[in-house]
């Protein structure tokens, strides 16, 4: 149970659901019957009652400080009517603006003979640093809506990669919504309401809940541990590092699509950890797999978490201290011509499988300037030789183009997509 002042909030780890018909919100107008808290600057200050501004040069939920809870959903567009898709994206924008301000979805929730416009489970809860991030998948740019000419060249489906054991029901999607908050019920409220609003025009393809961030995306945050007990991603990009964000994350003038400048590309991978096998491995081998000390998080050639690994150092046996197939060696920028991505993943658990083993692991999320040049070659490399592969399975995958942020209430996600 999490407590914020006098408000208690329930942890929510159940399945996602959608109900009711679309609300037809129309214009981007936010109900103002509750006074939202002041927004915090992006990249810092993600306390339970904090509000992160929805509007800005870039979408929130990317370079802003990572929260502790995730509700993530991919949608298929079921209508063939471009105007219907426009209405969904317009209404989703209005709803997202409202929810990030900590107020209900616009529309009437008091008419006794109509379904409420807001499902109500977040009423009275603070926004808890809620961010709502949208993305458009490669499949959206087919012949259905006249968008083929607006598809960015960098938005290619993720190709088959070494070690893939993908489950078709966890792959792809025309649209994606990433809702992050420090309150799981606030994050779930987003997915539930957007699914309800889009009913009849979009259908949820798959979803994932996450608990416990696995990355630090702000200088205000420490490096968390993953479900294997290790600090991973110690040298992740921090949102405050604008030079690194501009170089590796935000799309710039190199894009063939003007509408994507200031945006980025989201890659998700559902990575199941074979925790029962991992837990039987001895400590020295676990540390060799990662190339780090489990206790301190320091590289095996150092004593502090933030020591720069020495990939040339050799032990008494003449072998490199950090093994050639150690995870940190294979993903390090210095061993990949400077290749860097922004990691923003979460741990997950989905119960047990059909033989009683835990279905738990990492819901990997990464943002980058061009997946063809960043995630794909990196994963192609580690999928072949990473010692960690013995203990993980990639079971889900997707890629989406995330447009830049919206400047104010006069613009919507529909305006960005259709121009």
């Amino acid at each position: 149970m999490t407590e914020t002042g006098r408000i208690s909030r329930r942890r929510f780890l159940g399945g996602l659901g959608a109900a009711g018909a679309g609300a037809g919100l129309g214009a981007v107008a936010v109900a103002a019957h509750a006074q939202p808290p002041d927004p915090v600057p992006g990249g810092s200050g993600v306390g339970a009652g904090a509000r992160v501004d929805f509007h800005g040069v870039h979408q929130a939920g990317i370079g802003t400080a990572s929260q502790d809870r995730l509700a993530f959903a991919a949608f298929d567009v079921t209508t063939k009517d471009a105007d219907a898709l426009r209405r969904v994206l317009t209404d989703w924008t209005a709803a997202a603006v409202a929810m990030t301000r900590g107020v209900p979805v616009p529309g009437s929730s008091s008419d006794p003979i109509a379904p409420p416009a807001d499902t109500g489970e977040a009423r009275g809860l603070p926004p808890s640093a809620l961010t709502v991030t949208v993305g458009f998948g490669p499949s959206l740019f087919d012949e259905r809506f006249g968008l083929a000419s607006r598809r960015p060249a960098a938005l290619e489906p993720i190709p088959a990669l070494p070690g893939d054991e993908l489950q078709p029901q966890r792959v792809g999607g025309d649209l994606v919504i990433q809702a992050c908050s420090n309150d799981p019920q606030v994050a779930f409220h987003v997915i539930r309401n957007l699914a309800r609003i889009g009913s009849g025009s979009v259908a949820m393809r798959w979803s994932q809940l996450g608990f416990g961030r696995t990355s630090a995306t702000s200088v205000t945050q420490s490096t968390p541990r993953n479900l294997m007990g290790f600090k991973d991603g110690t040298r992740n990009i921090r949102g405050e590092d604008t030079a690194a964000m501009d170089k590796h994350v935000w799309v710039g003038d190199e894009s063939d699509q003007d509408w994507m400048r200031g945006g980025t590309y989201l890659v998700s991978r559902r990575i199941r950890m074979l925790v029962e096998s991992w837990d039987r491995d001895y400590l020295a081998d676990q540390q060799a797999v990662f190339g780090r000390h489990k206790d301190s998080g320091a590289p095996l050639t150092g004593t502090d978490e933030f020591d720069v690994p020495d990939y040339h150092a050799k032990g008494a046996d003449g072998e490199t201290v950090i093994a050639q197939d150690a995870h940190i060696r294979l993903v390090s920028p210095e061993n990949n011509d400077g290749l860097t991505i922004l990691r923003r993943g979460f741990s997950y658990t989905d119960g047990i499988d059909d033989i009683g083993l835990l279905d738990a692991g990492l819901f990997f999320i990464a943002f980058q300037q061009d997946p063809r040049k960043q995630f794909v070659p990196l994963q192609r490399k580690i999928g072949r030789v990473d010692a960690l592969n013995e203990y993980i399975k990639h079971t889900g995958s997707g890629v989406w183009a995330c447009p830049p942020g919206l400047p104010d209430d006069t613009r919507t996600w529909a305006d960005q997509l259709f121009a």
Side-chain angles (χ1 to χ4, degrees):
M1 183 73 72
T2 303
E3 296 286 342
T4 301
R6 294 177 299 170
I7 302 170
S8 69
R9 288 164 280 148
R10 293 172 295 164
R11 294 180 186 276
F12 192 96
L13 293 174
L16 297 177
L25 305 181
V28 183
V30 178
H33 61 272
Q35 183 63 39
D38 293 333
V40 297
S44 64
V46 290
R51 178 166 75 86
V52 179
D53 202 343
F54 177 85
H55 296 109
V57 175
H58 309 294
Q59 289 197 70
I62 301 169
T64 47
S66 184
Q67 304 91 325
D68 288 330
R69 301 289 177 152
L70 168 76
F72 190 97
F75 295 84
D76 289 331
V77 179
T78 55
T79 181
K80 294 182 180 179
D81 181 352
D83 288 337
L85 176 57
R86 286 175 184 266
R87 288 192 294 273
V88 168
L89 292 173
T90 298
D91 291 348
W92 275 12
T93 308
V97 170
M99 290 185 283
T100 55
R101 292 178 179 172
V103 299
V105 170
S108 174
S109 293
S110 59
D111 186 343
I113 59 172
D118 189 289
T119 52
E121 72 271 28
R123 186 176 290 270
L125 299 179
S128 301
L130 174 68
T131 56
V132 182
T133 311
V134 71
F136 307 130
S139 56
L140 188 63
F141 295 86
D142 58 15
E143 75 285 353
R144 289 173 293 171
F145 310 109
L147 294 171
S149 64
R150 292 179 62 76
R151 174 174 164 172
L155 187 62
E156 291 285 344
I158 301 296
L161 294 169
D164 274 357
E165 297 187 38
L166 304 182
Q167 300 166 344
Q169 69 272 22
R170 299 184 188 277
V171 174
D174 292 331
L175 303 168
V176 76
I177 294 292
Q178 173 196 265
C180 300
S181 173
N182 291 318
D183 185 328
Q185 188 150 312
V186 170
F188 167 77
H189 177 250
V190 172
I191 300 302
R192 179 182 180 185
N193 277 273
L194 297 192
R196 178 185 56 79
I197 291 167
S199 178
S201 296
V202 302
M204 199 179 299
R205 181 180 178 90
W206 56 272
S207 67
Q208 184 67 56
L209 293 176
F211 69 95
R213 61 180 175 84
T214 60
S215 303
T217 59
S218 168
V219 295
T220 64
Q221 298 177 318
S222 60
T223 309
R225 294 183 185 274
N226 60 26
L227 294 187
M228 290 177 161
F230 277 79
K231 291 175 178 281
D232 190 23
T234 290
R235 297 196 287 167
N236 197 31
I237 300 172
R238 268 51 171 184
E240 295 89 345
D241 188 347
T242 55
M245 294 291 288
D246 288 342
K247 182 177 181 180
H248 301 292
V249 180
W250 303 128
V251 174
D253 291 341
E254 78 286 349
S255 176
D256 60 329
Q257 296 289 343
D258 290 346
W259 67 271
M260 269 301 292
R261 289 170 188 162
T264 186
Y265 294 91
L266 184 162
V267 171
S268 76
R269 302 284 283 186
R270 186 178 184 273
I271 304 175
R272 180 177 174 181
M273 295 176 176
L274 308 179
V275 294
E276 289 85 357
S277 297
W278 179 255
D279 292 345
R280 289 193 293 269
D281 194 15
Y282 57 94
L283 178 60
D285 192 63
Q286 289 186 355
Q287 295 183 151
V289 167
F290 274 95
R292 290 190 179 278
H293 294 285
K294 190 169 189 176
D295 186 32
S296 65
L300 294 181
T301 54
T303 58
D304 181 82
E305 176 191 346
F306 296 101
D307 286 345
V308 177
D310 182 350
Y311 296 111
H312 303 289
K314 294 186 177 180
D317 59 359
E319 301 293 330
T320 53
V321 175
I322 298 175
Q324 295 299 311
D325 59 357
H327 184 65
I328 66 167
R329 175 187 290 276
L330 295 172
V331 301
S332 65
E334 51 266 61
N335 292 321
N336 291 284
D337 296 324
L339 191 158
T340 303
I341 56 177
L342 172 65
R343 298 175 52 155
R344 206 174 190 281
F346 293 81
S347 296
Y348 80 86
T349 179
D350 285 334
I352 59 175
D353 64 13
D354 54 4
I355 58 172
L357 300 177
L358 283 169
D359 183 357
L362 167 66
F363 190 70
F364 175 91
I365 296 173
F367 294 96
Q368 62 239 270
Q369 203 169 66
D370 189 336
R372 301 170 302 174
K373 300 176 182 177
Q374 293 172 271
F375 172 77
V376 171
L378 186 61
Q379 183 57 36
R380 188 169 278 144
K381 174 183 177 182
I382 66 176
R384 293 196 306 268
V385 296
D386 194 337
L388 194 56
N389 293 336
E390 182 179 348
Y391 301 100
I392 61 174
K393 290 182 179 180
H394 286 237
T395 60
S397 180
V399 59
W400 296 270
C402 299
L406 294 167
D408 51 44
D409 285 346
T410 65
R411 297 274 295 169
T412 72
W413 289 332
D415 298 330
Q416 292 178 310
L417 181 62
F418 287 98

